[in-house]
Amino acid sequence: MSKLLEIKNLHASIGGKEILKGVNLVINEGEVHAIMGPNGAGKSTLSAVLTGNPAYEVTAGEVYLKGQNLLEMEPEIRARAGVFLSFQYPVEIPGVSMTNFMRAALNAKREYEGKEPLSPREFLALMREKKKMLELPDKLNNRSVNEGFSGGEKKKNEIFQMAMLEPCLSILDETDSGLDIDALRIVAEGVNRLKTPQNASIVITHYQRLLDYIVPDFVHVLADGKIVKTGDKSLALELEEKGYEGLNL
Amino acid sequence: MSEITIHSGETFERVFLNESVNLHIVQEAGSVLKIHVLNFAFATNNIIVEQAGEGCQTEIYALAFLHGDESVTTETHVTHAVGGGTSNQLLKFVLDDNSHGRFVGDLKIVQDAQKTEAHQTNRNLLLSDAAEMRTQPQLEIYADDVKATHGASTGQLDESALFYMQQRGIDKQKARQLLVAAFMKDVLATISDENLKEQLLNSIDGEVE
């Protein structure tokens, strides 16, 4: 198994306030890592920093994606290199159709990989195929990106984009928040179908519930900006039962 | 200033592209006015409309997309002198670099012009810190049984939308282009001539690049 992502002593702050205080993590191809932790522990900051959100400042540490220095890359280059974030709050973009948006994204990635852009016909066929795989409605194409989508539709749309872009590292930030149990199942099944021996996922969640569907190889507890405990999936159950305070961290 | 009278029951419809528009239009009963004023360079527009007969329909759409030192001033003076008419105005400015935009929107509903419906919307997008927009809506409403709304806002590109697109691999330039085109689209979408509309929508996609 080869190393996909390596995070070394990562420190990051927002508005001068330090949130991440030395995160270390190695993710290999084929692995699913869950990151759990109380509110304010830095879970979303970690996903923001990995994707290059300009609101955050990295103050120390290194991150490598397949040996490449991730922190030196622009956000769009990280994305083309295969880092995908399923946003906790997907952004509505009125006036930009899903088709135009997705085509710009996919062709940017293909160009980065030295591939020809897809023709409109090939592109639409791929959209259909992926929607079918995820059992999504066909009406998506002509709607503006996320505009007027319900909470569940937004999360499904994130997974759809993930299916289109085939990232090597997917970060699912609180994908379960605001989902009813049926939507949760559809989203989780989508994620499971996209799993290959070559890609990996980071599943950020508050609750064990999502991990019934997306079974992690490792569970990490992030508290006060550091990973304080790592275990297998039983750690998530233990957390659910005893709470973060019960872990005697 | 061109003086135009739209006779009873007639329609005057026109798209003005890259020119300064100076019009004084008198609408007779039941007439329809629909104009688009599209400026991609310097222009000074002054549009005076008087609804002189009952049940007139007035639609004014304006779009300015400016770069460098370009400036556009658009004034609209719409008077509902007789009731039962509608007026709808949508004006958008997209200002990059050091460009300047100015909108004066004077909307008057006289006391006898009951059952009038009038809407005026001005939305502006500033793409640089040096760009400047001045907006002066002036509403004078003397009739009591009317429906009138107006709104003006000036903002910048949505940073969270830009980041969202970048996170999908779209570079910042292309992301800006998509957002700017999206902002301008609804003005062009109201053009009746399908060929011209299509042509303008395509050219605007290119314009942003």
Side-chain angles (χ1 to χ4, degrees):
Chain A
M1 241 185 312
S2 53
K3 203 186 277 179
L4 185 68
L5 185 78
E6 185 171 21
I7 303 174
K8 290 181 184 173
N9 189 35
L10 185 62
H11 290 250
S13 56
I14 183 165
K17 188 175 187 285
E18 189 172 51
I19 309 287
L20 298 184
K21 302 173 180 172
V23 174
N24 292 286
L25 183 63
V26 172
I27 295 177
N28 295 307
E29 291 181 340
E31 293 177 349
V32 176
H33 290 245
I35 295 181
M36 304 182 74
N39 273 332
K43 300 189 301 291
S44 287
T45 299
L46 182 62
S47 66
V49 168
L50 291 177
T51 51
N53 189 320
Y56 295 82
E57 190 191 356
V58 174
T59 51
E62 293 158 88
V63 181
Y64 296 95
L65 179 78
K66 294 180 174 175
Q68 281 183 290
N69 186 340
L70 191 74
L71 299 179
E72 284 184 351
M73 300 174 175
E74 291 295 317
E76 59 267 33
I77 305 299
R78 300 182 196 201
R80 292 173 200 170
V83 177
F84 179 92
L85 172 61
S86 170
F87 284 68
Q88 182 177 3
Y89 303 108
V91 182
E92 299 196 12
I93 314 179
V96 177
S97 73
M98 266 307 291
T99 309
N100 280 347
F101 166 74
M102 211 59 246
R103 200 154 103 209
L106 188 64
N107 282 336
K109 182 168 200 244
R110 290 179 65 87
E111 192 184 338
Y112 180 80
E113 292 168 343
K115 296 177 185 163
E116 291 290 308
L118 289 182
S119 72
R121 180 195 289 257
E122 290 169 320
F123 173 76
L124 290 172
L126 186 67
M127 292 265 281
R128 263 198 307 278
E129 180 199 318
K130 298 294 184 183
K131 268 184 286 187
K132 200 171 166 199
M133 185 179 97
L134 298 173
E135 291 160 39
L136 293 180
D138 219 34
K139 61 185 180 186
L140 202 71
N141 294 23
N142 295 322
R143 290 174 71 178
S144 292
V145 179
N146 293 322
E147 192 188 22
F149 286 27
S150 69
E153 284 175 322
K154 283 180 182 166
K155 296 302 172 83
K156 285 178 201 168
N157 193 25
E158 294 293 285
I159 304 308
F160 167 69
Q161 293 171 46
M162 181 174 148
M164 290 293 291
L165 295 169
E166 299 182 326
C168 60
L169 178 70
S170 304
I171 305 164
L172 308 174
D173 190 2
E174 308 262 2
T175 291
D176 47 340
S177 68
L179 289 191
D180 62 36
I181 201 74
D182 293 324
L184 180 69
R185 194 179 298 125
I186 291 171
V187 164
E189 277 172 10
V191 171
N192 289 333
R193 272 177 222 175
L194 297 172
K195 194 179 169 191
T196 72
Q198 283 77 42
N199 63 25
S201 303
I202 298 175
V203 181
I204 294 172
T205 182
H206 233 38
Y207 305 104
Q208 134 75 21
R209 188 177 75 151
L210 179 65
L211 304 178
D212 288 337
Y213 298 95
I214 303 173
V215 181
D217 300 297
F218 300 94
V219 174
H220 310 279
V221 179
L222 188 68
D224 194 25
K226 284 181 180 176
I227 289 176
V228 292
K229 195 169 174 118
T230 293
D232 61 14
K233 63 183 178 193
S234 65
L235 178 58
L237 291 166
E238 197 184 333
L239 273 175
E240 185 87 342
E241 198 181 314
K242 298 180 185 167
Y244 293 104
E245 285 176 16
L247 281 178
N248 296 320
L249 302 172
Chain B
M1 177 92 35
S2 311
E3 310 274 342
I4 296 171
T5 300
I6 312 175
H7 296 294
S8 196
E10 288 183 350
T11 294
F12 179 89
E13 182 166 353
R14 198 151 151 204
V15 177
F16 298 92
L17 185 61
N18 278 329
E19 57 182 301
S20 289
V21 176
N22 285 286
L23 290 175
H24 183 182
I25 295 167
V26 177
Q27 290 191 246
E28 292 181 352
S31 67
V32 177
L33 168 68
K34 184 175 178 184
I35 54 171
H36 286 77
V37 179
L38 311 175
N39 296 113
F40 302 101
F42 179 88
T44 308
N45 304 307
N46 191 11
I47 298 153
I48 302 166
V49 178
E50 188 185 346
Q51 292 197 355
E54 224 174 80
C56 294
Q57 186 184 333
T58 303
E59 292 181 54
I60 300 171
Y61 301 96
L63 177 67
F65 183 20
L66 306 176
H67 298 87
D69 296 330
E70 292 164 349
S71 68
V72 164
T73 294
T74 299
E75 293 192 24
T76 65
H77 303 270
V78 175
T79 303
H80 290 266
V82 180
T86 62
S87 71
N88 189 30
Q89 302 181 59
L90 175 64
L91 304 100
K92 289 190 167 188
F93 287 72
V94 182
L95 304 173
D96 203 352
D97 305 324
N98 301 304
S99 60
H100 281 61
R102 183 161 167 257
F103 168 58
V104 178
D106 186 7
L107 178 65
K108 189 172 175 182
I109 303 176
V110 306
Q111 198 171 357
D112 290 339
Q114 302 293 357
K115 309 280 182 199
T116 292
E117 191 174 337
H119 305 285
Q120 183 199 82
T121 306
N122 170 226
R123 301 261 176 269
N124 311 303
L125 184 60
L126 301 181
L127 299 179
S128 92
D129 291 339
E132 199 179 287
M133 181 69 208
R134 291 181 190 202
T135 294
Q136 296 162 253
Q138 298 166 28
L139 272 72
E140 298 174 72
I141 300 172
Y142 301 104
D144 49 17
D145 186 16
V146 300
K147 211 180 196 181
T149 61
H150 82 110
S153 67
T154 298
Q156 291 164 331
L157 286 177
D158 178 358
E159 287 293 328
S160 62
L162 280 175
F163 181 70
Y164 187 78
M165 290 199 262
Q166 282 181 283
Q167 211 303 301
R168 297 303 186 244
I170 300 170
D171 64 58
K172 212 167 182 176
Q173 189 59 30
K174 175 77 178 172
R176 271 168 58 111
Q177 182 193 330
L178 288 170
L179 290 180
V180 169
F183 180 81
M184 301 194 295
K185 250 176 220 170
D186 60 349
V187 177
L188 301 179
T190 54
I191 293 174
S192 309
D193 182 334
E194 290 294 330
N195 286 335
L196 182 61
K197 175 163 67 183
E198 198 62 29
Q199 202 182 321
L200 286 166
L201 284 170
N202 290 338
S203 78
I204 266 165
D205 275 343
E207 172 80 14
V208 192
E209 274 177 309

